[in-house]
Amino acid sequence: MRFNLDRGMWPEAGLAAFATLAVAWPLTELLREGTWIGPAILMVLLVAVVGSLLRSLDADPTLVVLSQALVATVAILIHYLRDTLSYGIIPWSDTLDRTTELLREAGTTLRTFAAPAPTNDGVEFLIVVVLTLTAISVDSIGVTGRAPATAGIPLAAAFLVSVSNNGHAMQPWFFAAAALGWLLMVAQQGSRLVTGWSSADRRESVGSHDVSFGPTGHRRLARILAVVTVLSALVAASALPHLPPTFFTEGLARNADGRSVGGGGGSVSFTETMDVTADLHNQSDDPVITYRTQQLLQDPLRVTAVHEFDGTTWAEPDYDLSEPVAGSLSPHPGNALPGVDESVRREFSELSVLSNGVKAPSLAVPSPVAEVTADTGMRWDTETSAVRLEEPVDSYDVTFMRLAPGGVSDLPDDIGEAEADPNEFAPYLEPSPTGVEAYTELTEQVIGDETNDLVIGQLLQQHFRSGIYTYDLNLLPGEGQDSSPIAHFLATQQGYCVQFATSMVMMARSQGIPARMALGFLPGEREPNGTWTIVASRAHTWPELWIDGMGWVRFEPTPGIQSGQPPAYTQLNQGTAEADPTQESQATPTGEPTQDPGSADEDSWWDSTLDALRSAAPILLRALAVVLVIGLIMAVIAIAGRRHREAVLRNADTPQERIEGQWELLKRSLEDYGINPPPDKSPREMGEHYQDKAHLDRRAGESLGRATATLERARYAPAHQTEVSDDADMHKDVVHVLDSVSSDLPWNIRASAKLFPRSGVHYIRSVVASWFRRK
């Protein structure tokens, strides 16, 4: 092997590395710590250097890619799994166990945390591995395979995953960096793509002729189009409305003891006791409820409420049930809700449950409920505002109310001014036996001098959703976890829905506001057919506060994109936000889009539309994965095709051999365009075959004639009559013939020749066949 720096394509490799790191830039806002940045940069540069060195040695493209993967694997093993390697170099069973542990840790973190998530060992390992694979894909496609445009597919996939998970709308500089990296790759290495647009004598880069310039009259137009495209995208990204931000996965609130799945049927026994000190482990994805509704923006489905807390565990409520009602239950005749002012505006919606796996007597319904229709006897419990069944039901219909859908503008001015009667609400004012000092002191800091109960609830909710708390199914160990779980949660600022809801309930009670904890399910995910599906792991808890003039009000202190936005009237407006100058109005990592609550009426349609788009995200991601796989397959076939077309030319040493290589390039390229090669006859007979089948014009026919004459002289004339320049002249004639044939073909045939060339299929078949022969 002869070492040649030019063949190493070092500038192109550097640009590929830059593009890979550019698409990873948005990850700096997804992850709390930047410990992954250094290893990621080193791995991406390692891939680039290894590829360039092997290309400089004129190594086989397949060997280049395999070597990059091997060297990267060894580097990752040494850096992250060194302690598990036998003799310091050989992976063993412990290596697989540790890898599984790291990936499980990463999956748990990315599934349960809202951005920015902590960068533990598992997350760092996953990010570095993914970026390394991206770097290998981009380098093998864009540099080794000389298809920088196609390399945009893995770049786009990595970019979309990272930028769509930010806690705010995409910043223009993220797009600018990614676009710049890709365009520089195209400009540096894809001269045939940029400089040859619509040129009469387009030139291909073939074999050792890496750059052959033809007329460049349209090069300026190509550059202008590229600049205009990037600038237009930046302007559009800044001017058009943005979708709400999403996160790694759900990052949802879940209840460990709120359900137990068994029997494989997806039935759920809804346990109404919860231990605030417990971690969560078994997260079942068994479907529990499937329903249909016209509403695009869903509220949780409520099952019951609890109010007795012994310091660590919520006790199951005592039900004081009414007489059973068969067929249809209307708990609020005339829609007169207890404690709700008649001037509070109401909207009515309907929901039909198609399949129900919640075991009787529990029933999940939106709240406040106006009417329930089911084929069994139903009872209403006033204390918990819960519907209780006599027998299980597979389906039922619900009519429910939405209070003050327009936010605080739909509420009377004196809402929340009057204090609740302590005698009437005594059970809902009992403080926790432990942690009183901690949550009372924090409450006073959060609310300041505020006395309105609704505003106090809004301030408490905003405090928990401000980004200083971390959603995690695993609780941090430490002093006070068992003796004072609320104080422990407020100190560690890490927990899941039970801790968030419990803390807010007790903080509200410390201010004389009756409060309880509601149990139910998050709305679930919208399916392609329009139905909604709730799985067992979507069990959820949230606080309900008694507000004068509003009755029992749902708040949502738990951060998480799928926990949704709290009711509009529980969010601070511009006027009350001044009560706490430490609170910011910008979007927090909980996934709440920045908006003016006073404009909720105008934005309700837009919010509903965005929610529908967000529900389609899983389908879009799966489609993106399919596109990525197809793109990788096309890249492999395209690289194999180039390898096959240049096989003879690449191994040629003498001028005669190079001319034979140019002829094989012509034959195999024309076969990609659907023109079958002629039998091995004399050069003139083969030329006549192509002249007839390809329907060449005069200039292309002359080029073909010169090529066949050069081939004839190389085969039959004395060796000294073949000059070194004949190779370059024949190359020009071959390129002219190929351009002429391509320009007359339909676009679909040209695309097929580029993306799925027959030569690539032939090469892959030959490799597979040779492998089986060796076996």
Side-chain angles (χ1 to χ4, degrees):
M1 292 184 180
R2 294 173 296 178
F3 190 82
N4 188 322
L5 283 177
D6 291 336
R7 283 197 297 263
M9 306 178 76
W10 293 83
E12 288 83 352
L15 290 175
F18 168 76
T20 302
L21 295 174
V23 300
W25 186 12
L27 291 175
T28 57
E29 295 196 357
L30 265 69
L31 302 173
R32 193 177 304 161
E33 297 85 18
T35 55
W36 60 275
I37 297 177
I41 293 176
L42 290 177
M43 291 302 303
V44 172
L45 293 179
L46 178 64
V47 169
V49 171
V50 170
S52 295
L53 286 174
L54 291 174
R55 285 188 295 267
S56 297
L57 294 172
D58 200 21
D60 184 278
T62 303
L63 177 62
V64 173
V65 177
L66 293 178
S67 299
Q68 288 174 313
L70 177 61
V71 172
T73 300
V74 171
I76 290 175
L77 288 174
I78 294 176
H79 184 74
Y80 291 102
L81 304 168
R82 181 183 306 170
D83 296 339
T84 67
L85 301 177
S86 297
Y87 305 105
I89 57 173
I90 302 175
W92 208 245
S93 59
D94 291 343
T95 306
L96 180 60
D97 293 339
R98 177 55 178 162
T99 302
T100 303
E101 181 182 342
L102 288 172
L103 294 177
R104 184 181 295 113
E105 180 182 15
T108 300
T109 301
L110 303 185
R111 184 173 60 251
T112 58
F113 278 90
T119 312
N120 51 38
D121 292 341
V123 171
E124 179 181 332
F125 175 77
L126 177 63
I127 294 299
V128 171
V129 169
V130 170
L131 286 180
T132 302
L133 292 175
T134 303
I136 294 174
S137 300
V138 173
D139 190 271
S140 61
I141 297 172
V143 185
T144 303
R146 302 177 186 177
T150 308
I153 296 176
L155 287 173
F159 178 72
L160 290 175
V161 170
S162 58
V163 78
S164 65
N165 281 291
N166 279 296
H168 48 68
M170 184 189 73
Q171 301 297 338
W173 47 82
F174 290 153
F175 172 79
L180 178 63
W182 179 68
L183 288 176
L184 286 176
M185 289 179 61
V186 174
Q188 171 70 21
Q189 190 188 45
S191 61
R192 70 180 183 276
L193 189 67
V194 177
T195 65
W197 283 358
S198 302
S199 297
D201 293 319
R202 179 177 174 180
R203 293 293 182 259
E204 299 273 11
S205 56
V206 179
S208 62
H209 300 274
D210 291 322
V211 180
S212 295
F213 291 99
T216 57
H218 295 275
R219 187 189 306 176
R220 180 177 300 176
L221 175 61
R223 291 171 176 169
I224 294 175
L225 287 175
V227 172
V228 170
T229 300
V230 173
L231 292 179
S232 299
L234 289 173
V235 171
S238 304
L240 294 178
H242 296 293
L243 296 177
T246 57
F247 300 105
F248 285 107
T249 51
E250 286 85 6
L252 297 184
R254 295 165 186 163
N255 172 16
D257 299 319
R259 69 275 180 274
S260 58
V261 178
S267 297
V268 173
S269 297
F270 204 92
T271 304
E272 296 159 359
T273 59
M274 282 154 293
D275 186 353
V276 184
T277 65
D279 287 338
L280 296 186
H281 300 288
N282 182 21
Q283 294 298 307
S284 171
D285 288 332
D286 288 350
V288 176
I289 297 174
T290 302
Y291 64 95
R292 187 182 299 276
T293 179
Q294 297 298 320
Q295 291 288 335
L296 292 178
L297 196 60
Q298 302 302 318
D299 294 332
L301 272 64
R302 190 180 184 278
V303 174
T304 189
V306 294
H307 65 270
E308 293 185 18
F309 183 67
D310 63 6
T312 59
T313 305
W314 288 93
E316 185 174 353
D318 294 326
Y319 292 100
D320 184 15
L321 301 173
S322 61
E323 291 296 321
V325 177
S328 180
L329 173 67
S330 298
H332 308 298
N335 301 316
L337 297 173
V340 180
D341 193 285
E342 294 181 356
S343 62
V344 175
R345 187 162 71 90
R346 298 163 171 80
E347 286 185 355
F348 293 87
S349 299
E350 296 180 351
L351 178 147
S352 296
V353 174
L354 307 178
S355 64
N356 174 41
V358 180
K359 292 184 177 179
S362 299
L363 190 72
V365 295
S367 182
V369 62
E371 183 179 19
V372 181
T373 303
D375 295 332
T376 186
M378 294 172 286
R379 301 172 183 266
W380 176 255
D381 180 60
T382 305
E383 291 299 319
T384 60
S385 304
V387 178
R388 309 294 284 178
L389 299 178
E390 289 191 316
E391 297 178 356
V393 294
D394 294 329
S395 61
Y396 53 94
D397 297 319
V398 184
T399 301
F400 61 99
M401 289 177 269
R402 290 177 178 268
L403 301 181
V408 293
S409 61
D410 285 345
L411 299 178
D413 294 336
D414 59 349
I415 288 292
E417 294 291 345
E419 297 182 359
D421 184 353
N423 295 322
E424 180 182 357
F425 292 96
Y428 303 98
L429 293 170
E430 286 291 331
S432 169
T434 59
V436 176
E437 182 177 349
Y439 67 72
T440 301
E441 181 179 352
L442 177 61
T443 304
E444 293 175 352
Q445 295 176 6
V446 172
I447 69 172
D449 298 330
E450 185 59 56
T451 58
N452 184 285
D453 288 352
L454 178 60
V455 178
I456 290 175
Q458 293 170 339
L459 291 170
L460 295 177
Q461 175 178 268
Q462 180 171 284
H463 169 73
F464 286 111
R465 297 178 66 93
S466 62
I468 62 176
Y469 288 82
T470 300
Y471 179 88
D472 197 339
L473 302 180
N474 299 309
L475 305 180
L476 290 175
E479 182 179 355
Q481 181 173 355
D482 296 324
S483 60
S484 181
I486 298 179
H488 177 265
F489 166 71
L490 296 177
T492 61
Q493 297 180 339
Q494 177 171 311
Y496 53 95
C497 62
V498 176
Q499 287 74 29
F500 282 95
T502 301
S503 300
M504 183 167 173
V505 166
M506 294 306 160
M507 294 171 75
R509 289 183 178 183
S510 71
Q511 299 302 307
I513 304 175
R516 65 189 183 189
M517 188 163 72
L519 290 72
F521 294 94
L522 291 168
E525 296 183 355
R526 194 168 189 264
E527 304 294 341
N529 62 2
T531 62
W532 293 74
T533 300
I534 300 176
V535 298
S537 59
R538 296 300 183 264
H540 185 45
T541 63
W542 61 90
E544 291 181 344
L545 277 56
W546 179 271
I547 306 297
D548 176 64
M550 281 293 292
W552 287 109
V553 174
R554 174 177 71 91
F555 287 83
E556 186 52 81
T558 305
I561 186 62
Q562 294 255 1
S563 60
Q565 291 194 60
Y569 52 81
T570 68
Q571 302 180 57
L572 288 171
N573 59 21
Q574 292 179 344
T576 56
E578 297 176 359
D580 184 0
T582 64
Q583 303 293 339
E584 298 180 358
S585 60
Q586 65 183 18
T588 70
T590 62
E592 299 174 54
T594 304
Q595 66 174 17
D596 177 8
S599 64
D601 280 330
E602 303 173 2
D603 297 338
S604 59
W605 176 86
W606 178 245
D607 291 339
S608 299
T609 303
L610 295 182
D611 188 70
L613 292 174
R614 185 166 60 238
S615 66
I619 300 175
L620 296 178
L621 289 177
R622 286 193 290 269
L624 181 61
V626 172
V627 171
L628 178 60
V629 171
I630 294 175
L632 292 176
I633 294 174
M634 290 190 299
V636 170
I637 295 177
I639 294 173
R642 188 183 189 94
R643 177 74 176 167
H644 184 64
R645 294 191 299 271
E646 298 177 0
V648 177
L649 186 62
R650 185 172 51 254
N651 298 320
D653 293 324
T654 66
Q656 289 81 6
E657 290 175 347
R658 294 198 61 80
I659 290 172
E660 291 287 350
Q662 297 288 358
W663 183 256
E664 285 299 317
L665 172 66
L666 176 65
K667 289 172 56 179
R668 295 172 182 181
S669 298
L670 288 176
E671 186 177 6
D672 289 341
Y673 289 139
I675 302 174
N676 294 325
D680 286 331
K681 297 183 178 181
S682 68
R684 293 187 182 183
E685 289 177 310
M686 290 189 291
E688 292 174 357
H689 168 85
Y690 283 126
Q691 182 70 50
D692 178 59
K693 298 296 183 182
H695 305 291
L696 302 176
D697 59 22
R698 182 182 60 81
R699 291 187 60 194
E702 292 174 353
S703 296
L704 179 62
R706 288 193 297 270
T708 55
T710 303
L711 177 64
E712 188 176 43
R713 184 168 61 254
R715 285 185 177 182
Y716 306 124
H720 68 273
Q721 293 188 13
T722 302
E723 300 178 359
V724 175
S725 59
D726 290 343
D727 171 34
D729 294 336
M730 186 170 181
H731 169 65
K732 295 178 181 179
D733 291 327
V734 167
V735 170
H736 187 205
V737 172
L738 293 176
D739 281 343
S740 176
V741 173
S742 175
S743 62
D744 293 334
L745 292 175
W747 68 269
N748 57 321
I749 296 180
R750 293 199 303 270
S752 177
K754 294 295 184 183
L755 302 177
F756 295 100
R758 295 184 185 180
S759 54
V761 177
H762 293 332
Y763 183 79
I764 294 174
R765 285 177 178 173
S766 65
V767 171
V768 174
S770 63
W771 183 81
F772 276 108
R773 283 196 297 270
R774 286 196 298 268
K775 290 290 184 179

